Amino acid sequence: MQDASAWMLALAGLCIGVTAGFFVRLARLCSFGAVEDALMGGDTRRLRIFGLALGIALLGTQALVIAGQLDPDQSNYTAPALPLASIAIGSVLFGVGMAFVGTCGFGSLVRLGTGDLRSFVVILVLGGAAYATLRGMFSGVRITVLERFAVTMPDGVSTDFAALTRYYTGIDLRALIAALGGGVLCLIALGDKRLRRTPRLLASGVTLGVLTVIGWLATTRLADPFAGPVHPQSLTFVSTIGKAVYAGLLNVGNFADFGVGTVFGVVAGSFLAAWRADELRWEAFDDDHEMRRHVAGAALMGVGGILTGGCTIGQGITAGSMLALSWPIAILGMMLGARIGIAVLVEGSPRELLRRRFDTWREWLQRRPQPAVTAANKPSRRPAAPSDAPHQTAPRSLAE
């Protein structure tokens, strides 16, 4: 019989997921859409909403830490070693895959709840690739190769900004860092007049931030310490999708998990929002090209998300709320990967993208302006001044 606390955690995850899926679907919030708007259109409104969610999550999570309700050392995001190579490579792969699919793992769950059958395929492929990288055929390469290139913190200090500043300065600046970081992020979002006129977007950002804090608290208070080590967690949608797929195929007992509960909850919440707005629609692939693109993107997100340690929600909000050092590296890598993926989609194929870029660089080199001619290097047309040194003259002709 499954432990009761495990099923309580799964139920808590289900409720949190339903709430997140409902409000995000209602606002049509999408992490890739936010990145695409900012990179391609210069519109940062949706990106600011994720900043608002991170700011609220940061303030709430660090409040739990300061109050002694949450131990950062028990989180998987703040291990004493930072796997730089794994995070850098995985985040770029995840970003490219996100561009190919048009959304992240969380967004795919939201789409699935509205009747998008393309997302059903994406979830299956993403979950399979994630589980293969986490515990299957790719786990050996991840552990023995990529994670060996890790930066170990001195004296086993956690990889979070607050712990490192306390180690090097001897002063606990956690409250100051949280207040400044969270406050600035909230002000950046709320300072936009256009966002203040969109209550649905603001509500979705606030909801994501608050639910992240509730997730940390629930997995700390409801976990059974006698069942094993307590590892607090919150919203993330890569490894949890892999565990959900595995549970559905091979082990029903694995449904008793907080993360698995959030996966099914997001789908249910999105369904409720779409049903309420009369927006339930069956959607499928238009052609085989679109299917190949989605399958490739899902595989890249599954592998890349495990290497990175999270998705745009898991690293972008959850890890950020814990002040994890992995957060800025992962976010920059995902944005870089998304930009590469967009460029590939625009050009038609990676090969065509490289060929066009090579041709552009070659034309630029050929059109480079020649060095300007200055008085110092400009050749003079005046006859050379006579020299005092003897010089050889031409022999006289016999006619002379």
Side-chain angles (χ1 to χ4, degrees), residues 20-37:
F22 182 86
F23 279 93
V24 168
R25 169 58 195 173
L26 204 62
R28 288 177 171 80
L29 186 64
C30 173
S31 56
F32 173 70
V35 172
E36 186 179 25
D37 288 348

Side-chain angles (χ1 to χ4, degrees), residues 236-278:
T236 186
F237 297 97
V238 178
S239 62
T240 52
I241 293 177
K243 292 177 182 178
V245 172
Y246 176 79
L249 294 176
L250 298 173
N251 191 348
V252 178
N254 282 4
F255 283 123
D257 180 85
F258 172 83
V260 174
T262 61
V263 168
F264 288 97
V266 169
V267 178
S270 173
F271 170 81
L272 291 175
W275 174 72
R276 176 178 177 272
D278 194 23

Side-chain angles (χ1 to χ4, degrees), residues 211-365:
L211 291 177
T212 301
V213 180
I214 295 175
W216 286 121
L217 186 61
T219 54
T220 301
R221 301 296 295 271
L222 296 178
D224 183 4
F226 296 101
V230 177
H231 293 292
Q233 66 183 93
S234 194
L235 298 177
T236 186
F237 297 97
V238 178
S239 62
T240 52
I241 293 177
K243 292 177 182 178
V245 172
Y246 176 79
L249 294 176
L250 298 173
N251 191 348
V252 178
N254 282 4
F255 283 123
D257 180 85
F258 172 83
V260 174
T262 61
V263 168
F264 288 97
V266 169
V267 178
S270 173
F271 170 81
L272 291 175
W275 174 72
R276 176 178 177 272
D278 194 23
E279 294 176 347
L280 291 173
R281 301 287 186 276
W282 293 114
E283 295 186 59
F285 295 110
D286 292 332
D287 51 31
D288 60 333
H289 176 74
E290 186 184 19
M291 184 174 183
R292 289 196 302 269
R293 176 165 55 82
H294 276 70
V295 169
L300 288 174
M301 284 198 294
V303 175
I306 295 298
L307 295 180
T308 309
C311 57
T312 51
I313 302 297
Q315 278 289 349
I317 298 178
T318 303
S321 71
M322 196 59 78
L323 295 174
L325 292 181
S326 62
W327 169 75
I329 304 170
I331 292 303
L332 289 175
M334 288 177 187
M335 294 187 73
L336 174 61
R339 184 63 185 87
I340 294 173
I342 293 171
V344 170
L345 293 177
V346 171
E347 300 294 346
S349 69
R351 180 179 179 182
E352 186 66 19
L353 171 64
L354 293 175
R355 188 186 68 80
R356 289 180 181 270
R357 291 294 176 268
F358 177 77
D359 292 342
T360 302
W361 292 335
R362 185 176 59 182
E363 292 176 3
W364 178 80
L365 290 174

Side-chain angles (χ1 to χ4, degrees), residues 45-377:
R45 279 180 295 177
R46 286 199 285 181
L47 203 59
R48 289 169 186 253
I49 291 298
F50 282 100
L52 175 64
L54 174 58
I56 293 173
L58 177 58
L59 292 171
T61 301
Q62 294 308 309
L64 292 178
V65 174
I66 295 171
Q69 300 297 316
L70 177 63
D71 185 0
D73 294 338
Q74 295 178 341
S75 168
N76 294 329
Y77 294 111
T78 57
L82 182 66
L84 279 177
S86 181
I87 294 173
I89 295 172
S91 59
V92 174
L93 291 178
F94 186 91
V96 174
M98 185 169 59
F100 284 1
V101 174
T103 189
C104 62
F106 177 65
S108 297
L109 293 172
V110 173
R111 288 183 177 182
L112 179 60
T114 66
D116 192 336
L117 296 180
R118 297 170 300 183
S119 293
F120 181 71
V121 175
V122 168
I123 292 301
L124 291 179
V125 175
L126 189 156
Y131 205 84
T133 309
L134 182 66
R135 297 177 182 174
M137 61 185 297
F138 301 141
S139 61
V141 177
R142 174 179 62 85
I143 296 171
T144 61
V145 178
L146 293 177
E147 292 188 358
R148 290 184 60 186
F149 298 95
V151 178
T152 304
M153 298 296 107
D155 297 334
V157 178
S158 299
T159 52
D160 71 271
F161 290 102
L164 285 174
T165 53
R166 182 178 56 193
Y167 176 82
Y168 285 110
T169 65
I171 305 173
D172 190 357
L173 300 174
R174 183 178 297 276
L176 179 61
I177 295 173
L180 286 177
V184 169
L185 287 169
C186 292
L187 286 176
I188 290 175
L190 298 176
D192 192 318
K193 294 181 179 179
R194 296 176 300 174
L195 281 181
R196 293 201 297 268
R197 301 191 191 101
T198 54
R200 288 188 179 184
L201 276 176
L202 289 175
S204 64
V206 172
T207 300
L208 282 177
V210 172
L211 291 177
T212 301
V213 180
I214 295 175
W216 286 121
L217 186 61
T219 54
T220 301
R221 301 296 295 271
L222 296 178
D224 183 4
F226 296 101
V230 177
H231 293 292
Q233 66 183 93
S234 194
L235 298 177
T236 186
F237 297 97
V238 178
S239 62
T240 52
I241 293 177
K243 292 177 182 178
V245 172
Y246 176 79
L249 294 176
L250 298 173
N251 191 348
V252 178
N254 282 4
F255 283 123
D257 180 85
F258 172 83
V260 174
T262 61
V263 168
F264 288 97
V266 169
V267 178
S270 173
F271 170 81
L272 291 175
W275 174 72
R276 176 178 177 272
D278 194 23
E279 294 176 347
L280 291 173
R281 301 287 186 276
W282 293 114
E283 295 186 59
F285 295 110
D286 292 332
D287 51 31
D288 60 333
H289 176 74
E290 186 184 19
M291 184 174 183
R292 289 196 302 269
R293 176 165 55 82
H294 276 70
V295 169
L300 288 174
M301 284 198 294
V303 175
I306 295 298
L307 295 180
T308 309
C311 57
T312 51
I313 302 297
Q315 278 289 349
I317 298 178
T318 303
S321 71
M322 196 59 78
L323 295 174
L325 292 181
S326 62
W327 169 75
I329 304 170
I331 292 303
L332 289 175
M334 288 177 187
M335 294 187 73
L336 174 61
R339 184 63 185 87
I340 294 173
I342 293 171
V344 170
L345 293 177
V346 171
E347 300 294 346
S349 69
R351 180 179 179 182
E352 186 66 19
L353 171 64
L354 293 175
R355 188 186 68 80
R356 289 180 181 270
R357 291 294 176 268
F358 177 77
D359 292 342
T360 302
W361 292 335
R362 185 176 59 182
E363 292 176 3
W364 178 80
L365 290 174
Q366 291 174 350
R367 291 199 306 263
R368 275 197 313 173
Q370 297 298 323
V373 178
T374 63
N377 59 16

